Amino acid sequence: MEREAMEFDVVIVGGGPAGLSAAIRLRQLSIESGHEISVCVVEKGSEFGAHILSGACFEPRALTELFPNWKEEGAPLNTPVIRDEVYFLLSGTRSVLTPGWAVPKSMHNEGNYVISLGNLVRWLATKAEELEVNLFPGFAASEVLFNEDGAVKGIATGDMGVARDGTHKHSYTRGYELHAKYTLFAEGCRGSLGKELIKKFDLDRDADPQHYGLGIKELWDIDPAKHQPGLVMHGAGWPLAENGESGGWWMYHHENNQVSVGLITDLSYHNPYLSPFDEMQRFKHHPVIKQYLEGGKRVAYGARAIIKGGLNSLPKLTFPGGALLGDDAGFLNFSKIKGSHTAMKSGMLAAEALAELLKAGKANDEPTLFSDKFKDSWLFDELYKSRNFGPAMHRMGTFMGAAFNWIDQNVFGGKIPYTIHDTTPDYATLDLAAQSKKIEYPKPDGKISFDKLSSVFMSSTNHEEDQPIHLHLKNADIPLKKNLPLYDEPAQRYCPAGVYEIVENEAGDKRFQINAQNCVHCKTCDIKDPAQNINWVVPEGTGGPNYPNM
């Protein structure tokens, strides 16, 4: 059965901040110029915002450019930042509050807002719909389509109703082909199609290896007497530093007596026995955090990989027929711990480039005008100023890296005449299990700390059980024959959703089990597996988490 095809001027894969900003800006420019541009956005989540997870302390710069009257139009930015607090946790009980003068300028949040990025994305989707963007939630883009000359001509959505054994169920529906003059990929961190395109067109040949963190987030209802709307807390140190690893944490006081709390574990960690999920659970017992959570109730859980290589790791953005946007490319500003405004701006710049090209009658060529606009924008300047932040922390350690970054950001304004490079990919940093210290994590108490399965339940994750597993092993023997003896198979610990297990029967035989139904689409397995043996592909549309207001 052939797939039906639909034609658009621009197809956008991914309905997050970058993809929706690109769609909105394209339609704005179309209306302003009178030159019709048809746009469609494909989103794998059950609705726009369902797969969005971020802190989020939001800088409104790009939003103000996109919608100067966003306040009057009802954008859900209701909680301005009132105060920053930056801590260094010395141990499980001790901490130091960093004086404001000692905090890098890039981490100050005056003028920013504590928001739910998922709710902002839902609002952006309504604005896109008002501008007559074609929105297709629940459709997973599973394949890039190419013209005979090798240029991208669009995407195909995955078939629905395929059983695990590959046969067609009674609900089988063939996917659609969406053809376009230009296709923009805005899938978020470690996008499955973006990864393919980077490899096919060798887009990262002149870039440093990309770097990542795993962000684990919980949303809590807390005692109103403890709630301080707009308080922004960041920190580093314990518990990750106790095992020689790096990362950081946040707690943001939202509206409605809610706080979000989260831990970011740098995926360049070395000890294969480290479990980011369990580090997050014990972190919440620190008095700085526990004082707010005690007596409260956890109401949501989620996890997502964060792309943080910055400008040094940014691949070439364009290829024949399309471009990479947002975290599909890696526009996050690590020195600010923010990527939403940068993702939005990347989408807007791409839209402005494509609007000019389409008006000139161009199609399926390489839109290098997008790269030119990026290099002339405040987005490039911002990423250039933060280019050393992550590499300094990785290569110099927490204390020396922090000192370097303070000098770079506060004295040189991010333009110190030296660029640090971090050239070891995250999957290559694990030490051998035999040379590593085993980590014994405390049992969760069910009040402040919790287990993985109850946490996954709170993410409202759901996949059609009888469908092909979307976590592909390139070599089925590697987990037991290579990773287990060398690294004690770290997938069973780095996954924050209990997807991977080593199961042993009564005879002592072991097998590698994949519980794909648990997957929260964080992409950590695709990034951290030391053999690069796991390939994350999209499951059936609507599958995955259903985050309410994360």
Side-chain angles (χ1 to χ4, degrees):
M1 181 193 300
E2 288 190 7
R3 292 180 292 214
E4 292 185 33
M6 291 183 279
E7 303 281 343
F8 298 93
D9 291 317
V10 180
V11 166
I12 300 171
V13 180
L20 286 172
S21 296
I24 287 167
R25 189 69 187 124
L26 277 164
R27 289 297 301 151
Q28 287 176 338
L29 292 167
S30 172
I31 293 166
E32 289 170 13
S33 67
H35 180 262
E36 180 59 26
I37 301 174
S38 59
V39 183
C40 110
V41 180
V42 179
E43 164 57 38
K44 67 182 172 68
S46 59
E47 64 168 349
F48 284 85
H51 289 179
I52 296 294
L53 183 145
S54 179
C57 185
F58 181 73
E59 182 176 316
R61 183 175 186 177
L63 178 63
T64 300
E65 292 181 4
L66 192 61
F67 291 109
N69 299 319
W70 56 261
K71 287 185 179 180
E72 292 79 5
E73 296 192 45
L77 278 64
N78 304 320
T79 309
V81 174
I82 59 163
R83 187 170 77 256
D84 278 301
E85 292 181 359
V86 179
Y87 292 84
F88 190 83
L89 305 187
L90 300 168
S91 69
T93 57
R94 297 167 56 228
S95 64
V96 173
L97 177 61
T98 308
W101 62 264
V103 177
K105 288 181 180 179
S106 57
M107 292 184 66
H108 290 234
N109 284 291
E110 297 89 350
N112 295 336
Y113 292 80
V114 175
I115 71 164
S116 158
L117 186 62
N119 287 342
L120 178 60
V121 163
R122 290 179 178 91
W123 180 83
L124 287 171
T126 65
K127 305 307 289 184
E129 195 168 30
E130 289 172 8
L131 291 165
E132 299 183 341
V133 174
N134 296 274
L135 300 178
F136 297 153
F139 288 87
S142 63
E143 180 185 350
V144 182
L145 304 176
F146 298 93
N147 287 321
E148 291 181 1
D149 63 1
V152 172
K153 72 170 183 179
I155 58 95
T157 64
D159 296 347
M160 307 279 277
V162 179
R164 180 162 295 194
D165 63 6
T167 60
H168 295 174
K169 296 183 285 188
H170 71 277
S171 58
Y172 175 76
T173 306
R174 191 79 165 102
Y176 291 91
E177 292 194 3
L178 304 178
H179 299 170
K181 296 173 182 174
Y182 296 101
T183 307
L184 299 177
F185 294 83
E187 305 162 285
C189 176
R190 195 72 166 188
S192 52
L193 299 185
K195 183 179 71 169
E196 289 180 20
L197 290 163
I198 289 171
K199 183 177 180 180
K200 177 178 176 61
F201 292 108
D202 199 18
L203 301 178
D204 59 352
R205 61 184 175 274
D206 297 322
D208 287 355
Q210 190 56 262
H211 297 285
Y212 304 87
L214 171 59
I216 298 177
K217 174 183 176 178
E218 295 178 357
L219 198 63
W220 285 67
D221 290 335
I222 67 167
D223 182 348
K226 301 177 181 179
H227 189 239
Q228 301 178 54
L231 173 60
V232 167
M233 303 166 64
H234 288 114
W238 186 89
L240 292 169
E242 185 174 271
N243 293 302
E245 309 301 351
S246 60
W249 58 265
W250 81 86
M251 176 179 273
Y252 301 151
H253 287 240
H254 295 248
E255 56 189 326
N256 301 323
N257 298 317
Q258 286 193 331
V259 299
S260 68
V261 58
L263 180 71
I264 298 171
T265 301
D266 289 344
L267 289 181
S268 56
Y269 70 81
H270 298 83
N271 189 331
Y273 292 109
L274 185 135
S275 164
F277 174 87
D278 292 297
E279 295 289 321
M280 165 68 173
Q281 296 310 310
R282 71 175 182 143
F283 150 72
K284 290 181 292 174
H285 285 276
H286 195 283
V288 169
I289 302 301
K290 188 176 180 180
Q291 63 177 320
Y292 293 106
L293 302 183
E294 276 188 309
K297 179 183 178 182
R298 187 176 71 152
V299 296
Y301 166 87
R304 188 70 171 94
I306 298 164
I307 192 165
K308 60 186 185 65
L311 190 66
N312 296 347
S313 302
L314 203 66
K316 186 168 178 278
L317 301 177
T318 59
F319 44 85
L324 301 174
L325 306 182
D327 283 354
D328 229 348
F331 282 101
L332 180 135
N333 181 339
F334 189 33
S335 73
K336 288 186 175 182
I337 324 175
K338 292 177 181 61
S340 299
H341 71 291
T342 52
M344 292 179 68
K345 184 62 175 177
S346 73
M348 294 157 65
L349 291 168
E352 289 162 9
L354 295 194
E356 289 185 36
L357 295 172
L358 290 166
K359 193 172 182 179
K362 302 286 188 179
N364 300 111
D365 60 332
E366 184 167 347
T368 54
L369 183 59
F370 170 36
S371 299
D372 296 338
K373 286 182 177 291
F374 164 59
K375 289 173 183 174
D376 291 336
S377 71
W378 60 256
L379 176 55
F380 178 87
D381 186 57
E382 185 173 310
L383 294 185
Y384 179 81
K385 290 177 180 177
S386 71
R387 73 197 184 283
N388 285 323
F389 202 93
M393 299 297 282
H394 286 181
R395 296 190 57 186
M396 298 181 183
T398 300
F399 289 107
M400 292 301 295
F404 175 90
N405 282 325
W406 187 90
I407 294 170
D408 187 19
Q409 297 296 316
N410 291 31
V411 177
F412 288 90
K415 295 191 176 182
I416 199 168
Y418 180 73
T419 298
I420 304 173
H421 294 276
D422 185 358
T423 56
T424 303
D426 292 343
Y427 67 82
T429 60
L430 280 180
D431 295 333
L432 297 177
Q435 301 168 353
S436 303
K437 175 186 173 184
K438 288 190 175 183
I439 304 172
E440 297 294 332
Y441 289 104
K443 290 185 178 180
D445 64 4
K447 297 177 181 178
I448 300 295
S449 50
F450 306 92
D451 62 23
K452 278 186 183 178
L453 292 184
S454 66
S455 299
V456 174
F457 178 79
M458 298 204 76
S459 70
S460 299
T461 294
N462 183 57
H463 295 88
E464 176 65 40
E465 188 166 348
D466 186 16
Q467 67 168 298
I469 291 177
H470 66 281
L471 302 154
H472 295 175
L473 299 181
K474 299 173 187 176
N475 183 336
D477 291 332
I478 282 179
L480 294 180
K481 293 186 178 180
K482 182 177 181 181
N483 283 354
L484 189 61
L486 292 180
Y487 307 105
D488 197 25
E489 185 42 79
Q492 59 189 319
R493 287 176 292 275
Y494 61 58
C495 173
V499 170
Y500 302 99
E501 290 184 284
I502 301 293
V503 179
E504 188 171 352
N505 63 18
E506 293 180 357
D509 299 321
K510 297 178 180 179
R511 62 185 174 87
F512 186 64
Q513 180 167 298
I514 301 176
N515 306 309
Q517 296 95 328
N518 287 8
C519 180
V520 294
H521 297 199
C522 75
K523 311 290 184 73
T524 303
C525 56
D526 197 296
I527 296 163
K528 188 59 177 173
D529 182 72
Q532 290 293 275
N533 186 48
I534 300 173
N535 185 34
W536 194 103
V537 301
V538 290
E540 192 170 282
T542 76
N546 284 279
Y547 296 133
N549 57 334
M550 297 281 267

